[in-house]
Amino acid sequence: MISSNLALLQKTRFRLAINTATRSGRRGLFKYGAVLVMASLFVVGDYLFFHRILAYFNELPLDVGEILIVQILNLLCLTIFSMLVFSNIVAAISTLYMSRDLDFIISSPIPIRSVFLSKFILTTYNSSWMPLLFSLPVFVAYGNVFYAGWKYYVALPFLILPFLLIPAGIGIMITMTLARFFPVRKAYQVMSFVGVIFLAGIVLYLRFMQPEKFIGKDVADSKIIEFVEKLKAPDYEWLPSSMMTNALKAGVTGDWPAFNTEFLSLWVGALICVTVTTLMAGAIYYTGWASSQTAKKSGGADKEHFFYK
């Protein structure tokens, strides 16, 4: 029953997207075409940039090139994972509590769990497409620099999917907890502000490290080692970012037993997150949504009373 209702909601959303695209006219088609061209150029530029960087680091002396590349991947995966958690929190507030179609869908005979799973998929998509567009060319460039086999590229999409689902589950659980006890709109504003501060901190951190000083110059060995030590990110076995990094390294080197271990660990973590999030939604999602609607209506009534007063 849940699967059929979920399929119905996804089919409806897909048809709405198709109708919006086909009925947008020449201006809309031009806009979609321009976005597609810009996205393609971004992907190509992202790949070429990181391919050059990784190839350069791979030629560094003292055999630190491979270590440095692994550290870069670990830091990149940790950054993407943290960004996904924040973006899922903000996106979940919008899709789970502030979407205009929720009044109609929740009042329909469709079970609340199917509604939540549909919004879970939408939240994951909205918050993950940009990090995916950025990270996938990097992982492909990493494979090309180290001459990975075809199995690496076939397994890559199935490796990325659980890496996206885990922060989606964590972010949505945090959102449902916040919505249960705090006003939704205030939580949205606070988390958006925190996300901006987080991104600014990442940019400042990377700028202070000045990685460009290692490009096109003869660098002292001590400076390279010092840079590697500064770049080192938290590397715990239970972190999804560490699992992702270890799986990428194992896939590139052809160590498939190690790859399968990290691959299964990521999928187990993703299934646990999705299951726990769904169970949690069955307990508190509707209550949080109803509270947000009550607060919205009371806020509107207060504004109307103030206007006529």
Side-chain angles (χ1 to χ4, degrees):
M1 180 63 70
I2 293 179
S3 59
S4 61
N5 290 321
L6 180 60
L8 175 62
L9 290 172
Q10 295 303 110
K11 184 178 180 180
T12 303
R13 180 173 293 113
F14 178 76
R15 286 184 175 179
L16 288 173
I18 294 297
N19 290 337
T20 301
T22 55
R23 298 180 181 179
S24 56
R26 292 183 177 180
R27 181 177 298 180
L29 292 177
F30 177 78
K31 180 180 68 174
Y32 290 127
V35 171
L36 181 61
V37 171
M38 293 178 61
S40 301
L41 292 176
F42 172 81
V43 169
V44 173
D46 187 27
Y47 169 81
L48 294 176
F49 174 78
F50 276 96
H51 188 278
R52 182 180 178 183
I53 294 296
L54 296 177
Y56 173 82
F57 285 151
N58 191 36
E59 298 175 356
L60 290 177
L62 297 178
D63 296 328
V64 299
E66 184 177 354
I67 299 175
L68 180 57
I69 290 175
V70 172
Q71 293 295 343
I72 291 175
L73 286 176
N74 189 32
L75 181 61
L76 177 66
C77 290
L78 182 61
T79 303
I80 292 174
F81 182 83
S82 303
M83 291 175 59
L84 283 171
V85 172
F86 274 112
S87 62
N88 274 284
I89 293 174
V90 177
I93 294 176
S94 178
T95 56
L96 290 174
Y97 297 97
M98 300 172 62
S99 181
R100 291 180 296 178
D101 62 348
L102 281 172
D103 290 340
F104 171 74
I105 296 177
I106 291 181
S107 62
S108 68
I110 299 177
I112 191 67
R113 186 166 295 180
S114 297
V115 175
F116 170 78
L117 289 175
S118 176
K119 293 299 183 179
F120 183 100
I121 295 173
L122 180 61
T123 301
T124 305
Y125 169 79
N126 288 342
S127 59
S128 301
W129 70 268
M130 179 57 76
L132 179 62
L133 197 67
F134 171 79
S135 61
L136 186 58
V138 179
F139 300 151
V140 173
Y142 176 53
N144 287 342
V145 168
F146 286 89
Y147 303 100
W150 61 270
K151 292 182 180 180
Y152 170 79
Y153 301 102
V154 173
L156 195 56
F158 303 97
L159 179 67
I160 295 176
L161 182 56
F163 185 69
L164 300 177
L165 290 175
I166 293 174
I170 294 174
I172 291 174
M173 282 190 283
I174 294 174
T175 297
M176 289 191 295
T177 303
L178 292 174
R180 181 64 180 83
F181 300 102
F182 301 100
V184 172
R185 295 187 180 276
K186 290 185 178 179
Y188 181 84
Q189 295 171 355
V190 171
M191 295 310 302
S192 298
F193 178 75
V194 172
V196 171
I197 297 298
F198 176 76
L199 291 176
I202 292 176
V203 173
L204 290 176
Y205 173 75
L206 294 177
R207 290 307 308 144
F208 284 144
M209 296 190 67
Q210 298 180 340
E212 68 277 2
K213 64 185 179 183
F214 294 95
I215 305 298
K217 296 181 181 180
D218 294 329
V219 185
D221 297 341
S222 59
K223 293 293 185 180
I224 297 176
I225 297 175
E226 181 182 355
F227 180 74
V228 173
E229 291 296 327
K230 287 183 179 179
L231 193 64
K232 190 172 184 180
D235 186 14
Y236 302 105
E237 295 182 357
W238 50 269
L239 280 176
S241 57
S242 299
M243 297 179 190
M244 186 70 178
T245 303
N246 294 333
L248 290 171
K249 180 181 177 181
V252 164
T253 58
D255 188 1
W256 294 109
F259 176 88
N260 292 334
T261 300
E262 303 296 339
F263 180 82
L264 291 175
S265 298
L266 279 172
W267 271 106
V268 169
L271 291 175
I272 291 175
C273 280
V274 173
T275 302
V276 173
T277 306
T278 305
L279 294 175
M280 184 176 175
I284 67 173
Y285 170 58
Y286 180 78
T287 303
W289 176 81
S291 299
S292 67
Q293 298 304 301
T294 302
K296 181 172 66 174
K297 292 178 180 178
S298 64
D302 291 341
K303 290 181 180 179
E304 183 179 358
H305 175 71
F306 177 80
F307 177 80
Y308 284 107
K309 185 177 179 180

Coordinates of all heavy atoms in Angstrom, one line a residue, residues 26 30 53 59 196 198 288 306:
R26 N 9.0 29.6 -25.5 CA 10.4 29.8 -26.0 C 11.3 30.3 -24.9 O 12.5 29.9 -24.8 CB 10.4 30.7 -27.2 CG 9.7 30.1 -28.4 CD 9.9 31.1 -29.6 NE 9.3 30.5 -30.8 CZ 9.3 31.1 -32.0 NH1 9.8 32.4 -32.0 NH2 8.7 30.6 -33.0
F30 N 14.5 28.4 -23.6 CA 15.9 29.1 -23.6 C 16.5 29.1 -22.2 O 17.7 28.9 -22.1 CB 15.7 30.5 -24.1 CG 17.0 31.3 -24.1 CD1 17.9 31.1 -25.1 CD2 17.2 32.2 -23.0 CE1 19.1 31.9 -25.0 CE2 18.4 32.9 -23.0 CZ 19.3 32.8 -24.0
I53 N 45.1 19.1 -10.8 CA 45.6 19.2 -9.5 C 46.1 17.8 -9.0 O 47.2 17.7 -8.4 CB 44.5 19.8 -8.5 CG1 44.3 21.2 -8.9 CG2 45.0 19.7 -7.1 CD1 45.4 22.2 -8.7
E59 N 52.8 13.5 -8.7 CA 54.2 13.6 -9.1 C 55.1 14.2 -8.1 O 56.3 14.4 -8.3 CB 54.3 14.3 -10.4 CG 53.6 13.7 -11.6 CD 53.6 14.5 -12.8 OE1 54.1 15.7 -12.8 OE2 53.1 14.1 -13.9
V196 N 25.2 29.7 6.0 CA 26.1 30.7 5.4 C 27.4 30.8 6.1 O 28.5 30.9 5.5 CB 25.3 32.0 5.3 CG1 26.2 33.1 4.8 CG2 24.1 31.9 4.3
F198 N 28.9 28.6 7.9 CA 29.6 27.4 7.7 C 30.4 27.4 6.4 O 31.6 27.1 6.3 CB 28.7 26.2 7.8 CG 29.4 24.9 7.5 CD1 30.2 24.2 8.4 CD2 29.2 24.2 6.2 CE1 30.8 23.0 8.1 CE2 29.8 23.0 5.9 CZ 30.6 22.4 6.9
G288 N 4.3 18.0 14.3 CA 5.0 19.2 13.9 C 4.4 20.0 12.8 O 4.4 21.2 12.8
F306 N -3.6 43.6 13.7 CA -2.7 44.8 13.9 C -3.1 45.8 12.7 O -3.1 47.0 12.9 CB -1.3 44.4 13.8 CG -0.3 45.6 13.9 CD1 0.0 46.2 15.0 CD2 0.2 46.1 12.7 CE1 0.8 47.3 15.1 CE2 1.1 47.2 12.7 CZ 1.4 47.8 13.9

